[in-house]
Amino acid sequence: MNAQIPDDIAKLSYEQAREELLTVVNQLETGGVALEASLALWERGEALATHCENWLNGVSQRLEQARAKQISSDSE
């Protein structure tokens, strides 16, 4: 995903973003929110999900690099 992530979301840790995303999902599932507010929640939830996904992808890449480095040093 290449969506622009708002600065306030980009500054969140993975845990903070995930917790807020859970809150957004809960609010949307519960209903009772006006259409315009629901749309804003949906958009924020998408940005939060993208931020979490990007964070996890970064961790995955770091793990792969660490594994490759370990395999490289083990074979020397």
Side-chain angles (χ1 to χ4, degrees):
M1 289 183 186
N2 293 333
Q4 184 69 21
I5 297 174
D7 288 340
D8 66 320
I9 292 176
K11 293 176 184 176
L12 296 175
S13 69
Y14 170 79
E15 291 81 6
Q16 291 168 321
R18 183 179 173 277
E19 188 63 34
E20 185 176 341
L21 179 57
L22 291 172
T23 300
V24 167
V25 168
N26 187 44
Q27 288 175 322
L28 289 170
E29 287 179 344
T30 305
V33 180
L35 180 59
E36 196 64 34
S38 292
L39 180 57
L41 280 171
W42 179 270
E43 290 170 344
R44 183 145 182 99
E46 287 290 323
L48 288 162
T50 298
H51 178 61
C52 288
E53 183 177 3
N54 290 345
W55 197 94
L56 290 173
N57 287 339
V59 169
S60 179
Q61 289 174 355
R62 287 173 50 197
L63 285 172
E64 288 301 319
Q65 290 170 352
R67 286 183 188 139
K69 186 176 179 181
Q70 182 65 39
I71 291 169
S72 174
S73 67
D74 286 349
S75 64
E76 292 177 358

